Amino acid sequence: MKAPPAVLTIAGSDSGGGAGIQADLKTFMAHGTYGLSAITAITAQNTQTVQSFCRVEPKMVAQQIHAVMEDIDVKAAKTGMLADAQVIDAVCDAWQAHGNVPLVVDPVMVATSGKRLLDKEALDTLRARLLPLALVVTPNLREAETILDLAPNSIDSVEAMVRAAQEISTRFGAAYTVVKGGHLPGESVIDVVYERCTGHVDEIENKRVQTSNTHGTGCTLSAAIAANLGQKLQVVDAVRRGVRYVNECMQTGYKVGKGQGPVNHSYAMRTMEIVPTLHNPHPFTEYLKAQTNGLWEQYTGHSFVRQAAAGTLSKQAFIHYLKQDYAYLKHYARATALAAFKSDSLGRVAELVDAMQACVRESELHVKMCNHWGVSQREMEDEQESWNNVAYTRYIVDRGMSGDVLELLVAMYPCLLGYGEAALAASADSRSQQADNPFGPWIAAYAGDEFQAAVARGRRVIEDLVREDVLGGQRLRRLAKTFRDTVDLEIRFWDNALEHN
């Protein structure tokens, strides 16, 4: 099995397990990356208080970084609590010795209580040495005020957050500054992302989660961003997914200890159900099929296909199906184009364009078969869509418009995957291969190498998207429901054809 990307945290240890390297390593694992650590300080803390801490000697901090990076191909890293100026210097010296690896700097300098964690010398060193090395810096409002020597609580609006993000990147050289807005009041939380080279600003808005279990949210966000960068996501996408992960960690949190509890880093570990193994190389596909509660087997073993394989299907039912499927393929091609539009990878766009062209070739097969039975293409074009067809195609388009590319492809997946499986099963019936079976060419087309290759490509795209994403909780349930709904609509599509027997 291919090793996951390695991601390094350079931070302090939280004996309570909710923040620091403990939170970072949990987050790295939840994102499918391999976590590495260089410990800068050791704390004795719990959910109520930090009782004491001691820093790790700067030389030892540097040695940890060197040891890891000399042996392991680190794809991204983050820093957290760095204790003092000497530790910051050691981190910067070690980091500069190992080339260009994306670095996320979480400038931990103000405790939740408001107590300053870095003295002036350390703050000056962080500004002068560490921030210029950062691809992304992630201050909260109090940390942004400290970095910019602003009065406490002076960043009191989204506009002020934007100005602070711009100034931090401009003055100190960070390529991207993410100012976190959790301390601003309101029903929503807005985080601001500023890109220095373009001046572009993104605002990421999420509904506020009402919970006291927020210990370690800053560590968790910076770790999630680093993990996403290690997975080769673009920066803004890495931040957006990181914010969503933290939001869902908070939504699924639970009480630990007597004080401010941690977020639930492991909520997304439900993806263990869909991790590729030697015996199950397509786990998300199998997971989706299992979630249909028997509908999948009903679909792929549908009486319409079994009658076609046996040669007993009525001509009227098959012609009705071909006309309706011809109309369906137009919408399917448009949905494929929408998926290409929503994709941010040129390789994936090219794959989806190929899939759209395959829809055209499939429609040509329908025209050819109808012509064989005396039905012209004009008649096919003029055929009124059945209510099943309208419901099905509009459902797919709705999922495409309201969801992301993964949800759209999941909505389209039962058609591609199901036809492939149903055709293979039907082709195993020797009657489907008899010369006098008029439906044999239809079955052979979907059981043939070209369509089966298309199924394999579509499956690979979806499985790859899942490995890039964080699936858990509500999102996973929604994707399973989308797949189940479209399987049901496929069954009704063939049911409607049989009504014309």
Side-chain angles (χ1 to χ4, degrees):
M1 181 177 287
K2 183 180 178 182
V7 183
L8 170 65
T9 172
I10 307 168
S13 169
D14 172 6
S15 58
I21 63 162
Q22 286 82 355
D24 295 341
L25 293 173
K26 293 172 189 175
T27 301
F28 292 163
M29 180 172 286
H31 283 74
T33 59
Y34 181 75
L36 312 164
S37 63
I39 300 176
T40 61
I42 300 171
T43 69
Q45 65 175 296
N46 52 35
T47 63
Q48 296 176 292
T49 185
V50 178
Q51 297 176 358
S52 64
F53 87 96
C54 64
R55 73 165 191 174
V56 174
E57 284 296 315
K59 182 178 179 181
M60 183 60 186
V61 173
Q63 286 176 337
Q64 292 176 79
I65 296 171
H66 288 310
V68 166
M69 299 194 73
E70 286 169 357
D71 177 53
I72 300 170
D73 183 16
V74 176
K75 297 299 184 183
K78 65 149 286 187
T79 63
M81 179 183 178
L82 297 180
D84 60 23
Q86 290 71 40
V87 170
I88 296 173
D89 273 329
V91 169
C92 293
D93 289 341
W95 193 252
Q96 289 174 313
H98 291 284
N100 186 25
V101 175
L103 179 65
V104 179
V105 172
D106 180 12
V108 180
M109 60 181 67
V110 181
T112 302
S113 64
K115 180 181 178 181
R116 185 76 66 84
L117 299 177
L118 290 182
D119 61 20
K120 184 179 185 304
E121 181 186 7
L123 177 58
D124 288 341
T125 305
L126 181 140
R127 289 165 172 159
R129 296 208 61 195
L130 186 60
L131 294 186
L133 299 178
L135 176 63
V136 185
V137 59
T138 62
N140 61 30
L141 301 187
R142 306 292 82 85
E143 290 161 347
E145 290 164 352
T146 302
I147 290 170
L148 296 173
D149 281 329
L150 299 176
N153 302 310
S154 59
I155 302 178
D156 57 3
S157 66
V158 175
E159 292 76 18
M161 291 169 62
V162 172
R163 291 193 295 272
Q166 292 172 330
E167 187 172 354
I168 289 171
S169 278
T170 302
R171 284 178 56 185
F172 304 112
Y176 292 82
T177 296
V178 180
V179 175
K180 300 173 291 189
H183 291 131
L184 285 183
E187 293 185 359
S188 295
V189 174
I190 297 177
D191 302 309
V192 167
V193 185
Y194 175 74
E195 182 179 4
R196 178 167 55 90
C197 69
T198 65
H200 183 72
V201 176
D202 283 281
E203 294 180 9
I204 303 173
E205 182 173 358
N206 283 282
K207 186 176 181 180
R208 187 180 297 276
V209 180
Q210 300 298 336
T211 179
S212 62
N213 299 322
T214 58
H215 180 54
T217 50
C219 303
T220 301
L221 176 60
S222 56
I225 294 170
N228 288 329
L229 292 173
Q231 297 277 21
K232 298 185 179 180
L233 269 67
Q234 297 299 310
V235 173
V236 175
D237 288 337
V239 175
R240 285 188 183 278
R241 292 193 184 186
V243 169
R244 186 177 72 200
Y245 170 74
V246 173
N247 185 274
E248 293 193 358
C249 284
M250 293 169 67
Q251 291 181 52
T252 57
Y254 43 77
K255 189 67 176 174
V256 174
K258 301 174 183 176
Q260 185 182 36
V263 300
N264 179 13
H265 299 92
S266 64
Y267 90 93
M269 295 304 288
R270 295 178 191 179
T271 56
M272 288 176 68
E273 299 177 61
I274 50 175
V275 170
T277 66
L278 289 175
H279 299 292
N280 185 14
H282 311 301
F284 186 59
T285 299
E286 297 307 315
Y287 172 83
L288 290 175
K289 291 194 290 186
Q291 295 304 303
T292 66
N293 298 321
L295 282 179
W296 184 256
E297 291 73 18
Q298 184 181 340
Y299 165 40
T300 55
H302 198 281
S303 179
F304 180 91
V305 181
R306 287 187 284 107
Q307 289 182 36
T312 59
L313 185 66
S314 77
K315 174 182 175 182
Q316 291 77 13
F318 193 64
I319 289 176
H320 176 80
Y321 157 76
L322 288 176
K323 289 179 177 179
Q324 291 298 319
D325 203 45
Y326 182 78
Y328 170 84
L329 285 170
K330 293 180 186 178
H331 298 294
Y332 195 90
R334 291 165 61 199
T336 306
L338 177 59
F341 175 77
K342 284 175 169 282
S343 299
D344 56 8
S345 159
L346 283 175
R348 190 158 294 139
V349 169
E351 287 179 315
L352 291 165
V353 169
D354 286 343
M356 186 170 56
Q357 292 171 336
C359 290
V360 175
R361 293 191 294 273
E362 190 177 347
S363 70
E364 290 170 351
L365 171 67
H366 288 30
V367 171
K368 182 178 179 181
M369 295 194 73
C370 276
N371 287 341
H372 177 72
W373 281 334
V375 180
S376 69
Q377 185 169 355
R378 183 72 268 163
E379 289 178 85
M380 297 179 73
E381 296 283 357
D382 291 341
E383 180 75 5
Q384 184 175 0
E385 290 183 61
S386 69
W387 67 266
N388 305 80
N389 208 350
V390 171
Y392 188 3
T393 56
R394 295 338 178 251
Y395 183 88
I396 291 175
V397 171
D398 174 73
R399 283 296 182 260
M401 297 302 292
S402 63
D404 59 11
V405 66
L406 176 57
E407 184 164 4
L408 172 55
L409 292 176
V410 166
M412 300 169 66
Y413 198 23
C415 178
L416 178 70
L417 183 67
Y419 269 57
E421 289 193 10
L424 286 177
S427 67
D429 185 334
S430 61
R431 292 173 295 177
S432 72
Q433 300 173 29
Q434 292 176 1
D436 61 348
N437 186 335
F439 313 110
W442 176 72
I443 293 171
Y446 291 106
D449 292 344
E450 183 178 355
F451 190 81
Q452 292 299 320
V455 172
R457 288 193 298 272
R459 183 170 51 220
R460 185 183 67 249
V461 167
I462 286 181
E463 297 282 348
D464 286 349
L465 279 169
V466 167
R467 282 192 286 275
E468 295 169 7
D469 209 333
V470 177
L471 295 185
Q474 184 177 356
R475 178 160 168 79
L476 189 56
R477 288 191 295 273
R478 180 177 168 92
L479 291 172
K481 181 181 184 302
T482 295
F483 186 82
R484 187 167 55 249
D485 287 347
T486 47
V487 170
D488 184 56
L489 287 163
E490 280 285 356
I491 292 170
R492 293 172 187 271
F493 195 91
W494 277 338
D495 284 346
N496 178 250
L498 289 181
E499 291 172 5
H500 292 74
N501 257 336

